[in-house]
Amino acid sequence: MKSHRSFALWKRIHVALGKEVELGYSNHSIKNGFTAYLRKASSEDWFIQEYPDSLREKLNNATMIYEKNPSEGAFHGLLSTIGELQDYWDHQIPTAVMQDILLKPLQYCKGFGPKRAQLLSRLDIQKIVDFLYTFPKSWIDRRKTNTILEAYSMQGETVQIQAKIAQVSEQKRGGYLITSLVAKDHTGYLIASFVNQKYVKKLLQEHLNSPIFLSGKIQYQYGKLQMSNPLFEIPKDPKHPTSFQEIQPVYKLTDGLSQNVYRQLIRQTLLEHIVHIPEFFTSSVRIQENVMHRGEALSHMHFPLSFQVTEEARKRLVLDEFLFNQYTALQYKMLHRKKEGIQLHISDEMILDYQSLLPFELTFDQKKTMREFCEDLQSGYPMNRLLHGDVGSGKTIVAGALMYFTMKNQYQAIFMAPTEILAKQVFRIFTSLFASDQSIKGVLLLGELTKKEKEKAEFALQSGEASFAVGTHAFIEDKILFHRPATFIVDEQHRFGVEQRKKLFVKATQPHVLVMSATPIPRTMALTQFGDLDVSVIQQLPQGQKNIETRIISSSQRDSMNQILWSVLDKDEKIYVVCPLIEESESLNVANSVQKTEEIKARFPSIDVYLLHGKMKTDEKNHVMEEFRKASKAILVSTTVIEVGVDVAEATAMVIENAERFGLAQLHQLRGRVGRKSQKSYCFLVTDATSSSRLQILEQSNNGFAIAEKDLELRGPGELFGTLQSGHIFSQLVRLEEDYPLLEKAKMIATRFLENPSSAGELEKAIEFRNRKMVL
Ligand code: ADP
Ligand code: MG
């Protein structure tokens, strides 16, 4: 048997156990003694029927030991014995059976029927499991009452009163039936009125002079204290607590469904089905990790025994979500590790050789990342790594090391960039870097090459004449084949779809893969979305913090901004103007930028103003970029973010129009294009949006990591798991900053389960259940 009575007992006992710890193991957590309570409960008939003799005996012993000598040691004996009983209880019904029950539509549950089920389906609640996992918006504490005298000074507040039913009357007023109740306590009286609630009069009259709980907004009107349509409850047995002495949940509702009915339904459903929530942790794991039982957590979310306990409950449920995610990611990672990869040999000499090609010393983080690459390449398993870091942190140069080691092992390295301009820039960097090494030859592969150029590049790749290639998604075309490819690098991975990346990676057998993110990835995101990858981070910038002054400017402040822009031009430096992003239409973007260019020409008559937009042909773009690079003072107007991914050292100011249309990370990345040489630089965020709290983050910080964290916080936890897994459970519960330790804990627990697969059966069932059927 697996009864709800047992569940209720465990729930109560665990709260008491928590108190025992708080009270220093005194056996005082429950009135008349914790052990007395436990002995009484465990001697009841239902308990005896539910548990085998051996376990009950064990419990009796442990109880006695604690009773005689309440101490930490005895407490732990008791705790683990209770755990054993609960483990027994947990496994009374096979998980698959419980899961099937949880997936039943509510319609067939006690107290529902088609009509109520229909109402709940409007809240996206169809199945029992949906209902149980839809949490209250908040709770109200009904354990606290005020006297009527106190209520006089609490007008407008929702107040709870415990009083006596003194007098009941009824009258008709303008088509309404008004029932009035005079309720008294030892400090005074108040009048509660009920409008059109026909059954109320009879009910109240039957209980004249009985105690009543009232909860409602207090008003002082016509010289009297009033409550209109209060919630009320007449306790059946004064010794037993009523819902009015609990913490009560408050749910999101829909028309036709009242808070009281909702509560009644969830209470009933919990009563019946909490016993069907499978627990995948054993009691010893729960004790070790200090986490609550899964069913208890769910139950405390709805009807908590204390507020402190709701926080523990929330943590357990968040931990579950993190654990499902981490287990899946790490399992994938382990599988990947088992594959045979291309083992490369990297000598110390090779590493020194690479460093000698560079005009500067690598930073500490760069060196560390390079070492991580080396380990991967030599491991015999395919590398599967993410590298992230701020704009300008020097990721490209470290990626160059990866290419160098690959080529020195007589394999090919392929670098895929999101745009042609970026591909060219990277190609230029690498050709000059490797110019002194005769054994290295690179090709550039772009979609817009002439037929002849393309054929030449294709041949070089296929024949092995080229040892490295830089290009765009042109690489994924079917006819592009490689000769001994071993390493793929994908820059700004988010600009490519998963499918696109896959199409590239299948062109080699178990290649080493490095994906790079142009901006830092918040730590929660790194673990949840990239948990299947190894992660390298570059925190420090090679040239130290950039000296960029960022200012939010409204249209009316343009004159003062232009003065600064003039001073920039006077120093023979250059300016970018980024036009607003109009997602719907590229032609609107173009029109906008053409107009902007005219405006700027009028304002800066003696200055060269260039325009770059998405509809221009490649050689036109190249031409413009070249002109801008060569000019001594110039302004470049650009429509898209993409085109600005360029390294022009003398650019020291950027104006971003309609900055509110860009994401924070994107703005930060854009602004990284100025001040490439640590010169004093400016970034003006032009916006007339009324609320600029988001943009202020950029004004205050130049640190991409901090910005990424804040940005994620603003966008909310829904972002964490991408689209598929962004179940609303998660958004309801998780607090990004605060819960990071839980994510790390989940990772640790997941690792332990993976190291000991025989213990992971129940967890895997839970994950499968979640993935297969509970996409909320
Ligand atoms: P990212 O790709 O991370 O945005 P890059 O690799 O383009 O950054 O590097 C930004 C700039 O810093 C480049 O001009 C690069 O040559 C330079 N750089 C990279 N590493 C170092 C270093 N260790 N010391 C000095 N300059 C560096
Ligand atoms: Mg880069």
Side-chain angles (χ1 to χ4, degrees):
M1 257 290 282
K2 194 177 182 189
S3 76
H4 183 270
R5 293 191 73 163
S6 249
F7 175 78
L9 178 67
W10 299 134
K11 182 177 169 188
R12 178 93 179 79
I13 281 181
H14 279 123
V15 172
L17 286 168
K19 271 201 199 144
E20 281 299 308
V21 177
E22 265 172 46
L23 300 175
Y25 314 107
S26 60
N27 202 6
H28 286 327
S29 60
I30 290 181
K31 230 202 270 175
N32 302 326
F34 171 69
T35 47
Y37 177 85
L38 196 54
R39 262 193 291 113
K40 182 157 180 297
S42 62
S43 63
E44 297 211 19
D45 285 346
W46 64 268
F47 193 91
I48 294 170
Q49 276 166 28
E50 198 150 329
Y51 297 94
D53 293 346
S54 58
L55 280 180
R56 280 188 296 107
E57 234 164 77
K58 227 175 154 176
L59 180 64
N60 286 341
N61 285 337
T63 309
M64 240 155 50
I65 293 172
Y66 189 65
E67 194 163 54
K68 272 196 201 136
N69 175 22
S71 65
E72 192 174 347
F75 176 84
H76 282 290
L78 188 55
L79 193 64
S80 77
T81 310
I82 289 173
E84 273 182 64
L85 273 103
Q86 203 170 16
D87 285 344
Y88 174 84
W89 183 83
D90 270 330
H91 295 111
Q92 286 304 294
I93 307 174
T95 303
V97 174
M98 296 196 275
Q99 289 177 342
D100 280 347
I101 294 172
L102 290 176
L103 289 171
K104 280 195 186 148
L106 284 170
Q107 183 172 351
Y108 306 114
C109 290
K110 227 186 260 173
F112 282 88
K115 197 162 156 258
R116 281 176 171 172
Q118 176 64 33
L119 285 174
L120 283 168
S121 75
R122 279 201 232 142
L123 296 167
D124 259 345
I125 298 170
Q126 264 102 17
K127 296 166 184 157
I128 294 170
V129 65
D130 306 337
F131 194 36
L132 295 178
Y133 274 88
T134 301
F135 302 116
K137 295 186 293 188
S138 60
W139 296 274
I140 42 175
D141 194 347
R142 285 237 170 112
R143 296 169 305 177
K144 184 173 179 299
T145 54
N146 288 96
T147 63
I148 291 174
L149 185 64
E150 285 165 343
Y152 271 92
S153 57
M154 298 171 81
Q155 277 192 66
E157 288 177 48
T158 298
V159 172
Q160 304 206 61
I161 304 278
Q162 182 175 12
K164 225 155 76 180
I165 302 174
Q167 202 181 314
V168 184
S169 62
E170 194 177 79
Q171 63 183 126
K172 285 213 167 81
R173 221 186 286 157
Y176 294 104
L177 179 73
I178 316 269
T179 311
S180 300
L181 159 72
V182 179
K184 273 190 182 164
D185 73 2
H186 64 285
T187 66
Y189 74 95
L190 67 73
I191 297 183
S193 47
F194 303 87
V195 182
N196 284 346
Q197 297 188 28
K198 285 191 201 102
Y199 67 98
V200 166
K201 184 185 163 200
K202 189 161 168 277
L203 184 69
L204 292 175
Q205 269 175 344
E206 279 170 6
H207 291 90
L208 221 54
N209 290 321
S210 304
I212 185 169
F213 284 99
L214 291 161
S215 167
K217 209 181 255 181
I218 281 289
Q219 283 158 321
Y220 187 72
Q221 262 179 338
Y222 315 117
K224 292 186 183 98
L225 204 59
Q226 315 243 2
M227 258 186 194
S228 141
N229 288 323
L231 299 172
F232 71 95
E233 193 166 311
I234 300 165
K236 287 196 187 72
D237 174 356
K239 277 199 213 108
H240 276 101
T242 71
S243 67
F244 263 73
Q245 283 152 297
E246 291 180 337
I247 298 171
Q248 289 264 289
V250 179
Y251 297 95
K252 187 176 155 213
L253 298 172
T254 178
D255 277 351
L257 188 64
S258 73
Q259 202 59 255
N260 265 353
V261 169
Y262 193 115
R263 276 185 200 136
Q264 187 193 317
L265 290 173
I266 190 76
R267 197 189 285 276
Q268 172 65 33
T269 310
L270 280 165
L271 200 66
E272 210 173 334
H273 293 296
I274 198 73
V275 301
H276 297 133
I277 296 295
E279 168 61 301
F280 44 80
F281 285 156
T282 57
S283 60
S284 61
V285 172
R286 286 198 302 275
I287 292 169
Q288 188 185 339
E289 298 300 337
N290 192 20
V291 294
M292 194 181 256
H293 184 272
R294 198 166 177 230
E296 285 169 33
L298 194 55
S299 167
H300 280 303
M301 287 304 287
H302 294 283
F303 295 100
L305 291 180
S306 72
F307 281 110
Q308 193 185 348
V309 124
T310 59
E311 180 51 16
E312 269 182 74
R314 187 190 72 81
K315 285 200 165 134
R316 167 64 209 259
L317 298 173
V318 170
L319 180 73
D320 285 2
E321 293 303 308
F322 282 147
L323 182 60
F324 294 168
N325 169 275
Q326 290 299 297
Y327 185 84
T328 310
L330 292 174
Q331 195 176 33
Y332 181 86
K333 204 161 151 179
M334 259 176 58
L335 270 176
H336 198 77
R337 284 247 175 84
K338 290 211 176 99
K339 292 177 185 160
E340 201 170 310
I342 302 160
Q343 189 164 27
L344 304 185
H345 299 282
I346 301 162
S347 60
D348 292 347
E349 205 187 338
M350 229 182 249
I351 298 174
L352 290 175
D353 282 350
Y354 182 69
Q355 295 190 31
S356 72
L357 296 175
L358 304 173
F360 41 69
E361 177 82 358
L362 289 174
T363 63
F364 178 84
D365 284 353
Q366 283 174 321
K367 282 183 187 159
K368 190 177 86 184
T369 303
M370 195 167 71
R371 270 200 305 277
E372 286 163 348
F373 289 170
C374 290
E375 274 170 32
D376 288 351
L377 293 175
Q378 299 185 94
S379 70
Y381 305 112
M383 165 179 190
N384 202 20
R385 188 172 282 279
L386 166 74
L387 170 60
H388 66 118
D390 218 335
V391 183
S393 58
K395 297 181 291 289
T396 313
I397 292 298
V398 204
L402 184 58
M403 299 184 33
Y404 185 75
F405 302 144
T406 305
M407 294 185 288
K408 286 286 142 188
N409 277 271
Q410 273 72 53
Y411 283 96
Q412 274 177 329
I414 319 299
F415 190 112
M416 184 162 77
T419 69
E420 305 220 328
I421 289 191
L422 284 173
K424 280 182 209 160
Q425 190 178 306
V426 170
F427 184 67
R428 203 166 38 224
I429 291 171
F430 290 143
T431 28
S432 75
L433 194 62
F434 302 133
S436 59
D437 190 325
Q438 297 302 316
S439 72
I440 293 177
K441 188 175 177 299
V443 289
L444 180 62
L445 188 79
L446 304 171
E448 294 189 19
L449 294 181
T450 63
K451 201 165 168 243
K452 220 172 159 191
E453 286 170 324
K454 228 186 220 165
E455 278 170 6
K456 211 174 145 211
E458 279 168 32
F459 176 78
L461 279 174
Q462 205 172 341
S463 65
E465 188 191 306
S467 40
F468 79 90
V470 178
T472 58
H473 57 270
F475 279 129
I476 68 183
E477 279 175 39
D478 287 337
K479 60 172 189 237
I480 303 293
L481 297 170
F482 305 112
H483 175 84
R484 286 171 66 85
T487 302
F488 290 121
I489 298 164
V490 180
D491 199 8
E492 305 210 27
Q493 48 79 30
H494 64 282
R495 303 249 197 117
F496 296 99
V498 177
E499 285 310 309
Q500 276 180 313
R501 275 184 264 160
K502 264 198 203 142
K503 272 190 183 162
L504 175 64
F505 302 157
V506 294
K507 292 184 185 219
T509 336
Q510 313 298 358
H512 298 293
V513 169
L514 176 70
V515 296
M516 300 206 283
S517 165
T519 49
I521 295 173
R523 54 188 189 159
T524 31
M525 195 91 122
L527 270 179
T528 53
Q529 276 187 13
F530 300 99
D532 55 337
L533 304 179
D534 295 307
V535 180
S536 296
V537 194
I538 303 185
Q539 295 265 4
Q540 55 190 160
L541 299 183
Q543 285 124 335
Q545 272 300 331
K546 281 198 174 187
N547 184 11
I548 304 175
E549 184 178 333
T550 301
R551 290 193 202 170
I552 301 170
I553 296 280
S554 68
S555 309
S556 60
Q557 295 166 306
R558 272 183 198 277
D559 284 343
S560 59
M561 172 177 85
N562 287 340
Q563 272 176 18
I564 296 176
L565 294 181
W566 271 118
S567 74
V568 166
L569 293 165
D570 284 344
K571 284 189 279 179
D572 280 350
E573 294 173 349
K574 298 172 211 180
I575 299 169
Y576 294 113
V577 177
V578 182
C579 283
L581 197 66
I582 303 169
E583 306 247 335
E584 307 84 60
S585 155
E586 181 58 25
S587 10
L588 274 180
N589 278 332
V590 173
N592 225 302
S593 59
V594 170
Q595 192 197 342
K596 191 83 223 166
T597 311
E598 292 312 313
E599 272 173 44
I600 291 173
K601 277 183 178 158
R603 279 192 183 275
F604 299 89
S606 55
I607 304 294
D608 292 332
V609 181
Y610 301 96
L611 171 64
L612 202 65
H613 64 69
K615 290 240 162 127
M616 285 162 72
K617 292 230 172 63
T618 310
D619 28 329
E620 280 180 280
K621 283 187 203 167
N622 287 344
H623 181 69
V624 168
M625 276 318 301
E626 240 6 84
E627 292 290 305
F628 180 65
R629 208 189 288 277
K630 279 193 299 202
S632 72
K633 42 184 90 183
I635 300 176
L636 179 72
V637 181
S638 170
T639 49
T640 51
V641 182
I642 302 162
E643 316 302 350
V644 199
V646 182
D647 201 350
V648 176
E650 308 81 24
T652 57
M654 177 176 282
V655 179
I656 302 175
E657 299 284 344
N658 291 73
E660 76 281 355
R661 298 201 186 172
F662 297 86
L664 281 190
Q666 205 178 14
L667 288 169
H668 177 64
Q669 197 193 345
L670 271 175
R671 129 179 113 169
R673 301 298 157 196
V674 296
R676 301 294 279 191
K677 285 188 172 160
S678 308
Q679 320 96 307
K680 163 86 183 172
S681 304
Y682 297 92
C683 174
F684 297 100
L685 305 172
V686 184
T687 181
D688 286 323
T690 42
S691 161
S692 54
S693 60
R694 211 167 58 94
L695 297 180
Q696 275 164 15
I697 295 172
L698 289 175
E699 256 184 341
Q700 286 151 11
S701 176
N702 252 330
N703 179 330
F705 281 89
I707 291 164
E709 295 283 351
K710 283 269 196 249
D711 193 29
L712 179 62
E713 228 178 290
L714 287 175
R715 282 181 290 141
E719 300 278 322
L720 268 195
F721 285 157
T723 43
L724 187 72
Q725 274 202 330
S726 69
H728 68 209
I729 292 185
F730 211 70
S731 321
Q732 288 181 83
L733 294 180
V734 78
R735 298 185 199 130
L736 286 177
E737 276 296 293
E738 213 178 302
D739 290 337
Y740 187 73
L742 279 179
L743 182 53
E744 287 191 321
K745 189 180 211 163
K747 188 178 173 185
M748 204 183 63
I749 296 174
T751 309
R752 222 180 300 134
F753 272 118
L754 282 164
E755 283 165 358
N756 184 7
S758 65
S759 68
E762 288 297 312
L763 174 62
E764 286 188 352
K765 283 181 205 163
I767 294 173
E768 200 231 347
F769 181 66
R770 154 68 105 234
N771 291 345
R772 184 169 45 119
K773 291 166 173 171
M774 237 180 73
V775 181
L776 289 169

